[in-house]
Amino acid sequence: DVQMTQSPSSLSASVGDRVIITCRASLDIGNYLAWFQQKPGEAPRSLIYAASSLHSGVPSHFSGSGSGRDFTLTITSLQPEDFATYFCQQYNRFPFTFGPGTTVDIK
Amino acid sequence: QVQLQQSGPGLVEPSGTLSLTCTVSGGSLSGNSWWTWVRQSPGEGLEWIGEIFHTGHNNYNPSLRSRATISEDRSKNLVFLTVTSVTAADTAIYFCARRQYGMGGIDSWGQGILVTVSS
């Protein structure tokens, strides 16, 4: 299986901060990489597909980049509603696998 | 906007069969989408279970050791998940989701349903 790692596992930030979360795949996955946001008690929300494309309705202060094995999710100017856990997922090779998550909480 | 709603028993006995239904509204199962099941154990991360395409083709996670089956009823816009021989390790929130064909990834999720395996 393709192993996905994320760093950091958690971080504390303030409203207005720039946050960068990294995701690394154990194999080259091209740009078959997605990012999801999940708040406690809720279903995941799809943010980004194909490493850098935003799903409809996702605010533009979210962005994704990377290809191959290394990817980043950047949140510029963190908003109060952005405090959540973020997961990456590769969908290049079966079985599709998720990263362990990065929790962004309030400093 | 497609909407997904999971339903089924919230409690299953050990060694029994978990059976869930995903009702799809606002879209057709016959489109260019994979209908997907993902689960999340309490306090844990996300695990991809498998998916089905409208042709009937499936992909599964080998971690479930062939215990999972995903099927569909296109006439009723329903997607089904069964997991046999369940143990406490199968206790999780189960989500159905839609993955777009090709590069699109998962773009829609159901709200999830908690299934507890216990006697």
Side-chain angles (χ1 to χ4, degrees), chain B residues 41-58:
Chain B
S41 301
E44 299 292 330
L46 298 161
E47 180 181 30
W48 179 82
I49 297 171
E51 59 185 9
I52 187 167
F53 198 59
H54 69 82
T55 57
H57 185 79
N58 290 102

Side-chain angles (χ1 to χ4, degrees), chain A residues 14-51:
Chain A
S14 301
V15 172
D17 283 354
R18 182 174 187 241
V19 168
I20 298 175
I21 299 168
T22 65
C23 176
R24 170 167 282 190
S26 61
L27 300 171
D28 187 331
I29 58 168
N31 60 342
Y32 286 82
L33 191 283
W35 288 99
F36 305 97
Q37 175 195 68
Q38 188 178 35
K39 297 179 181 178
E42 297 185 4
R45 174 193 180 193
S46 300
L47 297 178
I48 288 171
Y49 65 97

Side-chain angles (χ1 to χ4, degrees), chain B residues 65-86:
Chain B
R65 294 181 177 84
S66 301
R67 297 186 297 121
T69 301
I70 299 172
S71 58
E72 62 177 8
D73 183 334
R74 263 176 281 151
S75 68
K76 297 181 180 178
N77 262 18
L78 301 176
V79 182
F80 307 104
L81 170 69
T82 60
V83 181
T84 60
S85 304
V86 297

Side-chain angles (χ1 to χ4, degrees), chain A residues 23-107:
Chain A
C23 176
R24 170 167 282 190
S26 61
L27 300 171
D28 187 331
I29 58 168
N31 60 342
Y32 286 82
L33 191 283
W35 288 99
F36 305 97
Q37 175 195 68
Q38 188 178 35
K39 297 179 181 178
E42 297 185 4
R45 174 193 180 193
S46 300
L47 297 178
I48 288 171
Y49 65 97
S52 61
S53 298
L54 265 61
H55 280 286
S56 174
V58 175
S60 59
H61 66 275
F62 288 94
S63 64
S65 64
S67 66
R69 294 183 58 198
D70 293 305
F71 303 86
T72 60
L73 172 70
T74 301
I75 311 172
T76 55
S77 189
L78 197 68
Q79 300 300 299
E81 60 269 23
D82 299 336
F83 292 98
T85 298
Y86 294 85
F87 296 92
C88 59
Q89 183 213 21
Q90 68 81 20
Y91 53 105
N92 178 256
R93 299 174 188 238
F94 295 113
F96 298 158
T97 46
F98 292 86
T102 296
T103 299
V104 178
D105 62 23
I106 301 173
K107 184 183 289 184

